[in-house]
Amino acid sequence: MTTSGGDIKDSNLSKAGVDRINWAAKEMPVLEQIRQRFKKERPLDGLRISACLHVTSETANLAITLMDGGALVNLCASNPLSTQDEVAAALDNEYQIPTFAIKGEDDETYYTHIRSVLNHRPQITMDDGADLVAMVHQERRELINGIIGGTEETTTGVIRLRAMSEAGKLEYPIVAVNEADTKHLFDNRYGTGQSTLDGITRATNLLWAGRKVVVMGYGWCGRGVASRARGMGANVIVTEIDPTKALEAIMDGFTVLHSDDAARVGEVFITVTGGLKTISKRTIELMQNGAIMANSGHFNVEIDIPALQEMANSVREVRPMVKEYSISHGKSVYLLGDGRLINLSAAEGHPSSVMDMSFANQALSVEYLLKESANLTPKVYSVPDEMDREVGRLKLLAMGVKIDTLSDEQVKYINSWEEGT
Ligand code: ADE
């Protein structure tokens, strides 16, 4: 327990955490503009927010923005391996935002921390993966009446929440931040693309040039990972289940293979499907000696780790974040970051500049939930288009980029149907 009531690794890390938070802030001008407005207008005055997000320097800037808007924020980690301990310490000690997050926490502590932020009796929940919403609905139902709404950051969380909504189980409105164009087109593609390669590089120090890299899944994250791996000179193979996405990968210039065939030739395998057992026991059986596996999807279920454990004669940590599984005489395969999000477990997550737009959408979505609460029902909402475009406008402004506007004549043309050839 700390002065603000959180649970962090070490208070002595706070000063280093403040430096890290300030460094990230320099790359987050859109969020900064919102923060300055929030400071003046205090639109979230007294609002209790419980957030379950990756505890990084970017998330810290979001939490501080919400606090400056008047909110009372409690924060826990949305993954046991993604916490930056200095940042957690700084938030808890220097900013008095109770933070419950320790990098490497076991599953029990992870859930204890989620329970702790729910003791804050949130009026707004903020999720990255929907663990908070799930726990509210399963264990803390007495809180539901007091909850105005929630936000969800990631693809996997939105899929989970839509399933809840379709089953008639979702009991308060959620804004799917992931669905904003200014979120997924940048964060999922360029953020995941760069930070996934960063995580694998930090964990292994491998050379990408000439490497046979199998990217499993060609959604926005897969597109980003494949394109960045190609940029580093890798020989990229894509696997997909969706015909349209597979075609897109082919026309983007990648080789598309069935995962059995990819398994035989690949050297590095990266899962980004959001699904279960994308790398199955069979895939592992077909892999060559020395194959490296990493996951950049939200949960650690994309690689069948229980099967891997069963298949292994011995398991050994050969470098931090790298486990060697000796499967049979002469064949070992390597699992990075215990199959958890490699970009956050072995690196620092997405760069601040893309998180700027994601978290601007988050901050504005909280304000939107509060303003519109009377008109919202328990379902999953998209970020309003105007808000999404405003985030884009502010980002361009911060970059000093001017774009064109339509003349009246052009507006008239584009809105009419009469004029043809
Ligand atoms: N998700 C991916 N990268 C992140 C980051 N840097 N901060 C918070 N959440 C993230």
Side-chain angles (χ1 to χ4, degrees), residues 31-32 92 156 167 204 305 348 353:
L31 193 63
E32 175 61 20
D92 200 81
T156 300
T204 62
I305 298 170
E348 297 174 53
S353 180

Side-chain angles (χ1 to χ4, degrees), residues 164-175:
M164 255 177 110
S165 176
E166 270 152 37
K169 301 285 184 207
L170 183 65
E171 297 192 39
Y172 60 86
I174 300 286
V175 177

Side-chain angles (χ1 to χ4, degrees), residues 54 56 58-59 343-344 348-350 355 359:
H54 299 298
T56 65
E58 293 76 26
T59 301
N343 61 336
L344 281 142
E348 297 174 53
H350 303 351
M355 294 313 295
F359 285 166

Side-chain angles (χ1 to χ4, degrees), residues 247-323:
L247 276 172
E248 197 183 350
I250 291 169
M251 297 205 190
D252 284 345
F254 298 109
T255 302
V256 173
L257 291 179
H258 186 280
S259 59
D260 285 359
D261 300 321
R264 292 188 182 95
V265 296
E267 295 170 306
V268 178
F269 296 79
I270 305 168
T271 53
V272 262
T273 60
L276 182 72
K277 299 183 186 174
T278 304
I279 293 184
S280 63
K281 183 169 187 224
R282 176 177 170 75
T283 326
I284 299 166
E285 279 167 354
L286 292 172
M287 283 176 185
Q288 304 177 56
N289 177 38
I292 293 172
M293 292 172 272
N295 168 51
S296 224
H298 186 80
F299 287 118
N300 63 338
V301 296
E302 300 198 22
I303 300 169
D304 190 349
I305 298 170
L308 186 58
Q309 272 156 353
E310 227 173 73
M311 292 161 80
N313 300 322
S314 64
V315 183
R316 188 166 79 91
E317 187 168 61
V318 291
R319 284 167 64 96
M321 295 285 158
V322 184
K323 283 205 178 120

